[in-house]
């Protein structure tokens, strides 16, 4: 862990702009200087702190992998279209259709269900012990994702994940 994640519900116009960047540095600069500045902490941007890692593992069959788990929950954090993937920064994009699927599926996740999934994480690969405190931290950052995805789906926006 150690890196803080964030998600942004972005318009189709913003998606076109992001896909047009040929220089990865320009893409990252646009995300950090424009999208994060404009949206983080507002209606269209939400942080996951370091809990994105455990959330991904909960829906990724216990692993940190873009391919594992079942659609659409395995798309909540990673997956989607990779726009940038290097050791220092990761950016993935979910389409409005994927966002609608995620919103419907994520609405069914209760604290009890996430608890069950959390304790199936491969602790060795996670790099830390699975504890009730860490689960509470994970739930605290996960719970706001439910209305966030619902709002993004209702507005037919794409969702951008960054870490």
């Amino acid at each position: 862990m150690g890196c803080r994640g964030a998600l942004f519900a972005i318009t189709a116009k913003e998606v076109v702009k992001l896909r047009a960047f040929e220089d990865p540095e320009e893409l990252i600069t646009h995300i950090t200087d424009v999208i994060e500045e404009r949206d983080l902490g507002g209606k269209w941007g939400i942080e996951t702190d370091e809990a994105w890692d455990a959330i991904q593992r909960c829906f990724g069959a216990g692993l940190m992998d873009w391919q594992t788990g079942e659609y659409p929950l395995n798309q909540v954090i990673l997956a989607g279209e990779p726009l940038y993937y290097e050791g220092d920064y990761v950016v993935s994009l979910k389409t409005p259709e994927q966002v609608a699927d995620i919103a419907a599926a994520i609405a069914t996740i209760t604290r009890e269900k996430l608890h069950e999934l959390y304790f199936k994480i491969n602790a060795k690969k996670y790099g830390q012990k699975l504890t009730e405190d860490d689960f509470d931290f994970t739930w605290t950052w996960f719970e706001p994702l439910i209305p966030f995805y619902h709002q993004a789906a209702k507005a037919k926006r794409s969702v951008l994940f960054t870490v």
Side-chain angles (χ1 to χ4, degrees), residues 57 62 118 120-130:
R57 291 170 193 272
Y118 172 85
K120 290 181 179 177
I121 291 174
N122 183 320
K124 191 171 194 172
K125 291 185 178 181
Y126 185 39
Q128 63 186 48
K129 290 182 180 180
L130 300 175

Side-chain angles (χ1 to χ4, degrees), residues 91-102:
V91 179
S92 65
L93 180 70
K94 293 100 174 82
T95 66
E97 295 78 20
Q98 290 168 318
V99 170
D101 291 345
I102 293 166

Side-chain angles (χ1 to χ4, degrees), residues 82-142:
L83 296 182
Y84 184 85
Y85 186 76
E86 294 297 327
D88 62 337
Y89 209 77
V90 174
V91 179
S92 65
L93 180 70
K94 293 100 174 82
T95 66
E97 295 78 20
Q98 290 168 318
V99 170
D101 291 345
I102 293 166
I106 203 172
T108 68
I109 302 299
T110 62
R111 181 179 176 90
E112 292 74 24
K113 180 62 176 172
L114 194 69
H115 189 271
E116 175 187 327
L117 294 169
Y118 172 85
F119 281 98
K120 290 181 179 177
I121 291 174
N122 183 320
K124 191 171 194 172
K125 291 185 178 181
Y126 185 39
Q128 63 186 48
K129 290 182 180 180
L130 300 175
T131 67
E132 290 296 333
D133 284 345
D134 188 53
F135 169 74
D136 288 341
F137 176 80
T138 302
W139 174 257
T140 297
W141 290 98
F142 168 77

